[in-house]
Amino acid sequence: MAGVLLSEAEKTFILHGVQSDLRNDGRSRQDYRPIELELDIVTHANGSARVRLANTDVLVGVKTEIDVPKPEKPEEGKVEFFVDCSANATPVFEGKGGEELATEISNFLASSFASSMSFDLKTLCIIKGVQCWKLYVDILILECGGNLFDAVSLAVKAALHNTMVPRVETVAMDGGNVDLQLSGDPYDCWRLDTKNMPCLVTLSKIGEHFIVDSTAEEEECSMASLVFSVTDGGRLNSLCKTSVGSLHPHTLAEALKVGVDVGVRLNKALDQALAREDRRLEADKPERFGFLK
């Protein structure tokens, strides 16, 4: 993904480290690198977050807009994901190099949030079949240092947690016209329920083992990668494979167990970091978090 060139000796060194459960940066197979989280950093967005996962840097902004519900889902609001891969993130993204990856990430996020058990879009409905809130989730990849899917999902969940939706005070119907009156108090808003929203966990297979939070160098050594969408309760929303290698059914079953377990712990660590960051916003200090196996 990041276009890192490795010699055969370097690949062998990484492979042996994974086999010994001691990767080249000192982590075990199921350890994440330190994660840095900032909330509410985009002034003109309804919610925003920035996540730095080692050399991977992702910025997410959320904007709200009043729209018309879909005819087949008159009681639900809308959420759309847009991914922009900055050419400064990696030379691979220059020109149109990042478009395919951006589409892959946005589509997988859409499928991960499609379940009402993860994100109840009915809370965004204003008037059934007439008016609803639409959330635009804009994702900017500033730097790519491996494990992009996980970093993006952490930033998305954090930004949605930080999102403030304006409160509708009055609704007037005049024939076919709708007149909505929003609260005049800019602080009179309500927040989204993000507790059941999923995080993405990427497992990369190197040799006979799976590892989490792969570096760009480790991704070059991986024969196959799986991305899991996991909620804090351990529910698997969706799954996709992001490489050309094949997996044995027994190996896939093992990966499912590891992915769900890591996903539960990652959600818990993020929720705790969000709670702390909410209390520390006035201090303007980034919140760091992570977990060990």
Side-chain angles (χ1 to χ4, degrees):
M1 183 183 297
V4 177
L5 297 178
L6 297 176
S7 67
E8 289 302 318
E10 289 172 314
K11 291 181 179 180
T12 301
F13 179 76
I14 291 174
L15 172 62
H16 289 172
V18 171
Q19 289 175 344
S20 302
D21 200 17
L22 182 62
R23 294 151 75 176
N24 59 354
D25 55 7
R27 292 181 291 149
S28 69
R29 289 191 286 263
Q30 294 186 23
D31 284 349
Y32 272 78
R33 293 168 289 178
I35 305 169
E36 185 175 294
L37 168 68
E38 292 178 89
L39 295 180
D40 201 26
I41 60 175
V42 180
T43 306
H44 300 293
N46 293 88
S48 59
R50 185 173 184 175
V51 166
R52 298 182 185 89
L53 177 57
N55 294 330
T56 298
D57 195 353
V58 179
L59 175 65
V60 176
V62 181
K63 293 287 287 184
T64 61
E65 180 182 283
I66 295 177
D67 201 359
V68 180
K70 297 178 181 178
E72 66 274 17
K73 297 179 180 179
E75 297 181 345
E76 296 184 0
K78 300 177 180 178
V79 58
E80 292 187 0
F81 299 92
F82 302 92
V83 180
D84 181 15
C85 299
S86 171
N88 295 325
T90 171
V92 177
F93 292 163
E94 292 181 358
K96 295 184 178 181
E99 287 187 357
E100 183 177 348
L101 177 61
T103 301
E104 184 179 8
I105 294 175
S106 60
N107 289 342
F108 191 63
L109 284 171
S111 66
S112 299
F113 280 76
S115 171
S116 60
M117 298 180 68
S118 298
F119 185 16
D120 187 6
L121 292 177
K122 291 183 179 180
T123 59
L124 299 177
C125 181
I126 302 174
I127 305 175
K128 180 180 177 180
V130 180
Q131 296 284 304
C132 71
W133 287 107
K134 184 176 184 178
L135 305 180
Y136 292 95
V137 183
D138 294 309
I139 303 160
L140 176 60
I141 299 172
L142 300 172
E143 190 174 357
C144 183
N147 200 20
L148 193 54
F149 277 79
D150 297 24
V152 166
S153 74
L154 292 170
V156 166
K157 184 172 181 177
L160 290 172
H161 170 85
N162 183 243
T163 298
M164 306 296 287
V165 182
R167 195 174 302 279
V168 178
E169 285 191 335
T170 59
V171 179
M173 299 287 292
D174 182 13
N177 298 322
V178 180
D179 184 18
L180 299 179
Q181 184 67 40
L182 301 182
S183 174
D185 184 355
Y187 297 100
D188 186 13
C189 303
W190 58 277
R191 305 183 71 165
L192 302 170
D193 182 6
T194 60
K195 179 170 178 55
N196 294 321
M197 291 184 181
C199 287
L200 304 185
V201 175
T202 303
L203 295 185
S204 300
K205 191 171 189 293
I206 298 180
E208 299 299 320
H209 302 280
F210 283 98
I211 63 172
V212 302
D213 188 20
S214 306
T215 63
E217 292 77 14
E218 288 171 336
E219 287 178 353
E220 288 295 313
C221 302
S222 175
M223 62 181 69
S225 294
L226 296 170
V227 183
F228 302 86
S229 172
V230 185
T231 67
D232 65 338
R235 186 176 64 254
L236 182 65
N237 279 1
S238 54
L239 166 67
C240 76
K241 185 167 168 295
T242 60
S243 54
V244 298
S246 60
L247 293 172
H248 190 275
H250 176 74
T251 304
L252 178 59
E254 177 187 347
L256 285 169
K257 182 179 179 180
V258 174
V260 170
D261 178 65
V262 172
V264 170
R265 291 186 286 132
L266 183 60
N267 272 284
K268 182 178 179 180
L270 177 61
D271 290 343
Q272 292 173 348
L274 289 173
R276 293 194 298 267
E277 180 67 3
D278 283 339
R279 295 192 296 266
R280 298 178 184 180
L281 270 177
E282 66 279 3
D284 195 27
K285 294 180 180 178
E287 174 65 35
R288 299 175 184 271
F289 71 100
F291 67 85
L292 301 179
K293 184 176 65 174

